[in-house]
Amino acid sequence: QSTILKSIITGILALAILIVTGGFLFVFADKESDYQFVSSWGIRGSGPGQFNDVTGIDIAGDNVFVADSRNGRIQVFDIDGNFIRMFGQPGNNVGELGRPMNLTIYKDELYVPEYFNDRIQVFSLDGTPKRMIGTLGNGHGQFNAPGGLALDSEGNLYVADFYNQRIQKLTPNGSFMRQWGITGESGIQAGKFNYPTDVAIDSKGMLYIADGYNDRVQVFGPDGKFSHKWGGPFALNVDGPFKSWFATVTSLAIGPEGNVFAADFHNHRIQKFAPDGTFLTAFGSQGSGSGQFKYPIAVAVAKNGVVFVTDFGNNRIQKWQQKGF
């Protein structure tokens, strides 16, 4: 039913543009980006500094942690891309990883959602395994392919439970607290999801959810109540290449000024928004050259505002900064 509705809305929108423009349908280009490409590193492979489906990223001080998904490991680099160390290997035992996804660092611990192992595994920043949270299932505190998470000031977890079509809030030890969305049911209404992929929390406790296949971002207040959403007309699961629209949003990051960065996977770009969803800028285009992306899947922002992006299809990391930085 969502596919039918999507087609109807897309058709109505196209007709409206045709009427307004006197019969000419064209794409409105974004303004010139405020960001510039700095550098990149990585190629496809299994050696140090090489990747096989790079999926997640986060930053701790001067270290960049990267989820090297199909290689089943985490690689660590300095902010210039120099290899430091790596840990993990494919598997489902303690310390092993099954397709690690969006990474989150909180109080000197690395939280790794495992898409294949249906759990969250927590490591110290030196790579020592510390604990695991969750098992496969659709019950409280269980997961079916978790894709990303965030933690609040009290250490509670907010997990994007991909195939269960929900966001779960858990205590630091993994006990269930509440959820958003109906388990196993997708939807386009506010508070429902279509394969959610990631979660971010800002300094005010606002919860931002990457509602992946609904091509939108949903926002909830510290009290858990729905606040607002954006992405396409009325944020009703209509994808597109225009500014503020998405074609599968796969990762969110909060910048030092509270702005929201979103990985716009099939549009091959990163978009930046104010907390209320106002479009600020975008950068990237499709390709394999410098400053181009082939399915950017995750984004992280350092405290100085420098942006790091996992360029999934090109098996590399890209580094961007604001012009005049």
Side-chain angles (χ1 to χ4, degrees), residues 3-324:
T3 301
I4 296 173
L5 179 59
K6 190 173 185 178
S7 299
I8 293 172
I9 293 175
T10 303
I12 293 173
L13 180 66
L15 179 61
I17 295 175
L18 284 169
I19 293 172
V20 171
T21 61
F24 295 95
L25 183 62
F26 51 89
V27 173
F28 300 98
D30 295 337
K31 68 176 182 179
E32 182 180 358
S33 175
D34 297 328
Y35 284 78
Q36 61 186 7
F37 170 79
V38 177
S39 62
S40 66
W41 69 87
I43 58 173
R44 186 178 180 85
S46 58
Q50 299 178 337
F51 306 109
N52 187 358
D53 286 0
V54 57
T55 50
I57 192 165
D58 206 358
I59 303 159
D62 292 331
N63 288 346
V64 180
F65 290 72
V66 178
D68 186 7
S69 184
R70 298 286 180 174
N71 283 327
R73 65 189 182 187
I74 305 298
Q75 295 198 60
V76 186
F77 304 85
D78 68 19
I79 56 175
D80 295 318
N82 297 303
F83 176 82
I84 298 175
R85 63 183 182 277
M86 59 185 174
F87 54 91
Q89 62 181 14
N92 58 13
N93 295 315
V94 174
E96 297 177 338
L97 296 168
R99 197 178 179 188
M101 298 298 290
N102 284 302
L103 303 180
T104 299
I105 294 171
Y106 176 83
K107 292 187 176 180
D108 295 327
E109 291 186 328
L110 175 67
Y111 289 74
V112 184
E114 297 182 62
Y115 188 91
F116 285 162
N117 288 335
D118 306 294
R119 68 189 181 192
I120 308 297
Q121 191 163 184
V122 185
F123 296 84
S124 63
L125 296 188
D126 65 5
T128 302
K130 299 189 72 173
R131 61 188 179 278
M132 291 186 286
I133 299 170
T135 58
L136 173 62
N138 59 12
H140 291 165
Q142 294 183 311
F143 306 119
N144 192 346
L149 71 139
L151 294 97
D152 64 21
S153 59
E154 297 178 350
N156 298 312
L157 287 76
Y158 300 74
V159 182
D161 194 1
F162 187 75
Y163 283 115
N164 281 329
Q165 306 287 2
R166 64 187 180 184
I167 305 299
Q168 292 195 71
K169 180 180 180 180
L170 310 175
T171 64
N173 65 7
S175 297
F176 176 82
M177 298 180 72
R178 65 167 298 175
Q179 76 175 49
W180 292 261
I182 299 174
T183 303
E185 295 184 17
S186 63
I188 62 173
Q189 300 91 342
K192 292 187 176 182
F193 307 100
N194 190 7
Y195 300 104
T197 53
D198 198 17
V199 185
I201 298 176
D202 69 13
S203 60
K204 298 179 180 179
M206 299 295 288
L207 180 67
Y208 298 81
I209 297 171
D211 192 1
Y213 291 12
N214 270 335
D215 306 302
R216 66 185 182 184
V217 175
Q218 292 198 63
V219 187
F220 298 81
D223 59 0
K225 294 181 179 179
F226 173 78
S227 174
H228 58 283
K229 54 188 169 69
W230 71 85
F234 308 109
L236 287 175
N237 189 18
V238 180
D239 63 86
F242 312 111
K243 64 183 182 181
S244 298
W245 294 36
F246 300 105
T248 310
V249 55
T250 51
S251 175
L252 298 176
I254 307 297
E257 297 179 349
N259 296 314
V260 182
F261 293 75
D264 191 1
F265 188 76
H266 288 288
N267 279 329
H268 310 283
R269 66 184 178 183
I270 302 298
Q271 294 197 67
K272 179 183 177 181
F273 303 90
D276 65 358
T278 300
F279 173 83
L280 297 176
T281 191
F283 55 90
S285 61
Q286 183 176 6
S288 299
S290 297
Q292 293 184 311
F293 298 118
K294 190 174 180 181
Y295 309 111
I297 195 170
V299 58
V301 187
K303 290 182 179 180
N304 62 0
V306 174
V307 181
F308 295 85
V309 181
T310 55
D311 188 2
F312 181 81
N314 287 318
N315 279 294
R316 65 186 180 185
I317 307 301
Q318 291 200 43
K319 180 179 178 180
W320 291 70
Q321 67 184 26
Q322 285 187 291
K323 294 177 180 178

